[in-house]
Amino acid sequence: MLLCPISFVNSLIPTGFSYGSVRCSLADGNGSSVKRTTLHDLYEKEGQSPWYDNLCRPVTDLLPLIASGVRGVTSNPAIFQKAISSSNAYNDQFRELVQSGKDIESAYWELVVKDIQDACKLFEPIYDQTDGGDGYVSVEVSPRLADDTNGTIEAAKYLYEVVDRPNVYIKIPATAPCIPSIKEVIANGISVNVTLIFSLARYEAVIDAYLDGLEASGLSDLSRVTSVASFFVSRVDTLIDKMLEMIGTPEALDLRGKAAVAQAALAYRLYQKKFSGPRWEALVKKGAKKQRLLWASTSVKNPAYPDTLYVAPLIGPDTVSTMPDQALQAFIDHGTVSRTIDANVSEAEGIYSALEKLGIDWGKVGSQLEDEGVESFKKSFDSLLDTLQEKANTLKFVIS
């Protein structure tokens, strides 16, 4: 199955759009305007950047998405596992890499780096127009390094150097061993997407690592060192809903589908608190940009829930929502644009507390989801390497 559905992509092609350039024509021959979508309104009216949580070849499939208002891309090992294993578009480059003597893992990284470089080029106009505020493409360090502080630092430096694009984000997981890695990588002037954040406590540690890194950088101009903090949403409900169903009381069952959005609202309040005050203002004087909250895992897993559940209630300024095909298409089709993230923080507090009173341990939930997330990415990574080894064998190449 292709990850970039052609029917979906084609449905987003606006009038007057040319594949030859990211800068599509603003009018066709009859003078009609380019098709605007709710994604344009999301950014222009509410200050939230819609990103696409997917990447595959041909990377030019991103062009109509960009024309429809997408302003960045996120990738991860699972996305590349599906893209490379389900497509022949990587075969020629892979064959050349293997023939040149590259081992399987090195070949994998070269395939990934090419996609990231090509995507960065497409989003560079947005990066330039926003003075480095948007238009990023994210690539993740090896998931095998999730408990390796120094290995993660070196991998981040390597990826930053080989991709060699100003608008690349190096993704680092928010595991305890990688919190110091985030600080060090930021201090080295490398922009970071911190991923797999599932709890408020860990999110605060991530913000502190960003601030510590900026302060330790020694740079007089901090404007080109940016970051997003990827706070995962739907997976929280998937786990907590199961716990609530085990409890089984009417009160517990009534809280299903509410935990993730409530915690996200409290994360946004924490974001507002941490990026204000004397410490932050001192960094702003050096050009520092806020580490934006990025809502990740926005696809709805439970078909009983609205298909925009993890997008519509999380709209607010200086945030990012990265959406896979399902969520993106749903929001373009029938999403409503209005500021919702802090519309009812007291209700979010009430839900968060009610869950605690029922025995839900938010710390344990976060740890379990983090462990599962890391293991899932490791499994995808290892599976893809196995697939590439099989592909190499099929091509009758012997790789040591």
Side-chain angles (χ1 to χ4, degrees):
M1 182 184 73
L2 285 177
L3 270 204
C4 302
I6 295 302
S7 59
F8 172 46
V9 170
N10 286 342
S11 72
L12 297 174
I13 298 175
T15 306
F17 180 79
S18 167
Y19 272 95
S21 170
V22 174
R23 298 180 181 86
C24 58
S25 167
L26 290 178
D28 63 17
N30 299 318
S32 58
S33 299
V34 158
K35 179 182 175 184
R36 285 182 58 84
T37 75
T38 51
L39 301 184
H40 294 107
D41 292 339
L42 195 60
Y43 178 74
E44 293 168 17
K45 294 181 180 179
E46 299 301 337
Q48 182 174 79
S49 294
W51 287 8
Y52 184 46
D53 191 28
N54 200 4
L55 185 58
C56 64
R57 294 184 187 179
V59 174
T60 49
D61 277 356
L62 292 169
L63 290 173
L65 295 171
I66 293 169
S68 294
V70 167
R71 303 179 61 81
V73 158
T74 48
S75 70
N76 60 46
I79 283 172
F80 277 116
Q81 190 263 334
K82 291 174 185 171
I84 295 173
S85 63
S86 65
S87 170
N88 292 324
Y90 297 85
N91 286 2
D92 288 346
Q93 186 190 0
F94 180 63
R95 183 182 291 107
E96 290 172 11
L97 291 167
V98 174
Q99 284 178 328
S100 70
K102 296 281 184 183
D103 62 76
I104 292 294
E105 189 167 345
S106 298
Y108 162 80
W109 284 112
E110 295 217 19
L111 297 175
V112 166
V113 165
K114 179 169 178 10
D115 280 7
I116 296 297
Q117 288 174 327
D118 291 347
C120 281
K121 188 68 177 172
L122 298 184
F123 283 94
E124 206 169 308
I126 294 173
Y127 176 84
D128 291 339
Q129 289 158 14
T130 57
D131 194 28
D134 216 352
Y136 287 89
V137 178
S138 298
V139 59
E140 191 159 344
V141 298
S142 168
R144 292 173 175 171
L145 299 172
D147 59 356
D148 184 343
T149 304
N150 292 327
T152 294
I153 293 167
E154 293 309 310
K157 289 179 180 177
Y158 170 76
L159 275 175
Y160 178 72
E161 288 172 9
V162 295
V163 173
D164 193 26
R165 296 290 185 274
N167 56 327
V168 65
Y169 268 145
I170 308 302
K171 281 180 91 170
I172 296 175
T175 57
C178 286
I179 295 296
S181 312
I182 295 160
K183 174 191 171 181
E184 185 66 22
V185 172
I186 290 290
N188 275 272
I190 297 170
S191 295
V192 174
N193 176 342
V194 184
T195 189
L196 295 176
I197 305 171
F198 295 99
S199 69
L200 296 175
R202 185 56 54 83
Y203 174 46
E204 185 163 19
V206 166
I207 297 174
D208 288 337
Y210 177 61
L211 298 175
D212 290 345
L214 290 177
E215 290 168 342
S217 72
L219 295 169
S220 56
D221 178 11
L222 296 171
S223 64
R224 293 291 164 173
V225 188
T226 71
S227 182
V228 290
S230 293
F231 203 98
F232 280 56
V233 193
S234 69
R235 295 187 198 182
V236 173
D237 275 346
T238 300
L239 177 56
I240 289 182
D241 281 2
K242 290 176 184 174
M243 295 175 169
L244 293 171
E245 283 164 7
M246 288 181 69
I247 294 168
T249 63
E251 182 190 8
L253 296 176
D254 188 52
L255 288 168
R256 287 177 297 181
K258 297 178 180 178
V261 170
Q263 184 179 227
L266 299 182
Y268 188 75
R269 185 177 64 179
L270 179 59
Y271 158 84
Q272 290 175 308
K273 175 186 173 185
K274 298 287 284 189
F275 289 99
S276 62
R279 183 186 186 188
W280 175 242
E281 290 305 320
L283 289 167
V284 170
K285 288 176 183 175
K286 293 185 177 182
K289 291 185 171 81
K290 293 176 181 176
Q291 180 188 54
R292 290 185 295 171
L293 253 174
L294 180 153
W295 309 121
S297 181
T298 55
S299 62
V300 174
K301 309 292 194 290
N302 186 334
Y305 296 161
D307 55 8
T308 60
L309 176 63
Y310 302 116
V311 180
L314 303 179
I315 298 172
D318 300 318
T319 58
V320 178
S321 179
T322 190
M323 296 171 262
D325 293 303
Q326 173 204 32
L328 190 69
Q329 193 166 13
F331 195 76
I332 288 173
D333 182 61
H334 50 267
T336 301
V337 175
S338 64
R339 179 166 175 163
T340 51
I341 183 60
D342 50 3
N344 204 335
V345 178
S346 59
E347 183 182 348
E349 285 179 319
I351 292 167
Y352 194 90
S353 298
L355 288 162
E356 285 182 318
K357 287 173 185 172
L358 286 172
I360 304 294
D361 184 327
W362 284 97
K364 287 183 179 177
V365 166
S367 295
Q368 181 177 333
L369 289 170
E370 178 186 298
D371 290 344
E372 289 174 359
V374 169
E375 284 307 309
S376 175
F377 283 163
K378 281 182 182 174
K379 186 176 179 181
S380 294
F381 187 75
D382 291 343
S383 172
L384 179 53
L385 294 186
D386 289 343
T387 299
L388 288 175
Q389 182 67 65
E390 291 168 13
K391 191 172 281 195
N393 294 341
T394 302
L395 296 169
K396 296 184 169 61
F397 293 131
V398 178
I399 301 178
S400 58

